[in-house]
Amino acid sequence: MLTKRIIACLDVENGRVVKGTNFENLQDSGDPVELGKHYSEIGIDELVFLDITASVEKRKTVVDLAERVAEQIDIPFTVGGGICDFETASQLILSGADKVSLNTAAVEQPLLITKLSQTFGSQAIVVAIDSKRVDGQFFVFTYSGKKNTGILLRDWVSEVEKLGAGEILLTSIDRDGTKTGYDTEMISFVRDLTNLPIIASGGAGKMEHFLNAFQAGADATLAASVFHFKEIDLRELKSFLKTQGVSVRMEGQ
């Protein structure tokens, strides 16, 4: 049985981790490397650093972050957020990031997926897909969930696999931030479409939600606030999942 992964997501602005509500009232919550080390020590399997900086210094800031994280953290980590060209993605991987995550750029420049995959291997390329229901069908959205691309989720999932993506980070816009549970219908829908690993995102609120996502076909689950605000203890979560028959990596393994 393949081991399921638990991933923590850290939002980074100008090289610092920030927390807020609905992307507003952002407060400095610490150094990303220190927080990353903490998560690594308590047993998180992977980290995602989502850069939300809009400054002209963005590239330098995020590349510096990748270098610092790579020096001090020995678990896999992904960097995403606003990566829109081959050069930035390449710099991040060459600076130590295990993976880069593409979202809007993947939709607008689909061949970027192929170029990066051919250069660094598909395992380094995560395509983040934000989707929600419109008139009973799942559609793909870009620009932080603001723009409906008109592309059906089923078509885009099949396309990104052909283009060379190694993994899908699937976020349900309907569930994001609600803490009412991962969108198991969407996860199952995508599971039937692809053999690529699926990271489920959006909706985690209690331990049962992680179990439900894995049962629906997710290979990994991503969460942010429930970990940051210590609403769920990671060790307790993994113990719970293990008792439910989910194969997870425990500390020391």
Side-chain angles (χ1 to χ4, degrees):
M1 183 187 298
L2 288 175
T3 302
K4 302 294 188 180
R5 293 168 289 144
I6 309 291
I7 302 172
C9 182
L10 302 173
D11 288 338
V12 179
E13 182 180 48
N14 296 318
R16 302 287 291 178
V17 174
V18 292
K19 296 174 186 171
T21 303
N22 300 117
F23 301 106
E24 296 179 351
N25 302 316
L26 297 176
Q27 297 180 335
D28 188 313
S29 297
D31 178 74
V33 178
E34 292 304 314
L35 284 169
K37 284 172 65 177
H38 166 71
Y39 278 123
S40 176
E41 288 164 1
I42 64 173
I44 207 77
D45 297 303
E46 295 186 23
L47 294 164
V48 170
F49 294 93
L50 187 61
D51 187 82
I52 60 173
T53 302
S55 73
V56 293
E57 287 294 306
K58 176 172 184 168
R59 180 180 298 187
K60 182 176 184 301
T61 300
V62 76
V63 170
D64 286 347
L65 171 63
E67 291 175 345
R68 291 173 56 220
V69 172
E71 286 173 0
Q72 299 192 47
I73 296 174
D74 58 6
I75 60 172
F77 72 95
T78 301
V79 179
I83 298 171
C84 58
D85 56 59
F86 180 82
E87 289 71 26
T88 303
S90 299
Q91 277 188 295
L92 288 167
I93 295 171
L94 294 172
S95 297
D98 296 277
K99 310 173 192 177
V100 291
S101 175
L102 307 173
N103 189 332
T104 299
V107 174
E108 296 183 347
Q109 307 171 62
L111 291 180
L112 181 59
I113 301 170
T114 305
K115 187 175 181 181
L116 286 166
S117 178
Q118 290 174 344
T119 305
F120 298 104
S122 61
Q123 81 289 337
I125 314 305
V126 178
V127 173
I129 303 176
D130 296 341
S131 181
K132 69 180 293 186
R133 293 163 180 79
V134 179
D135 297 327
Q137 295 195 84
F138 294 122
F139 280 87
V140 175
F141 282 68
T142 52
Y143 294 96
S144 301
K146 297 179 177 66
K147 179 182 177 182
N148 186 347
T149 64
I151 301 170
L152 287 169
L153 177 60
R154 78 160 71 88
D155 296 335
W156 185 229
V157 167
S158 299
E159 183 69 9
V160 299
E161 184 167 13
K162 292 174 187 171
L163 289 166
E167 197 163 19
I168 290 172
L169 171 53
L170 180 68
T171 300
S172 168
I173 297 171
D174 295 318
R175 294 297 181 91
D176 192 49
T178 65
K179 297 186 181 179
T180 58
Y182 293 99
D183 195 328
T184 54
E185 182 187 5
M186 183 182 290
I187 295 166
S188 297
F189 179 79
V190 174
R191 178 75 288 156
D192 289 341
L193 295 171
T194 182
N195 292 317
L196 291 179
I198 298 169
I199 304 169
S201 171
K206 56 185 181 179
M207 291 191 289
E208 289 78 8
H209 295 157
F210 292 82
L211 175 63
N212 296 338
F214 289 131
Q215 290 173 333
D219 299 277
T221 49
L222 180 144
S225 61
V226 292
F227 293 145
H228 301 337
F229 298 119
K230 297 181 172 59
E231 294 167 17
I232 292 177
D233 181 90
L234 182 63
R235 295 183 181 95
E236 290 179 8
L237 171 61
K238 286 196 169 186
S239 294
F240 165 75
L241 291 169
K242 202 169 184 67
T243 64
Q244 299 299 311
V246 179
S247 177
V248 291
R249 182 184 65 87
M250 304 299 287
E251 274 189 278
Q253 291 183 346

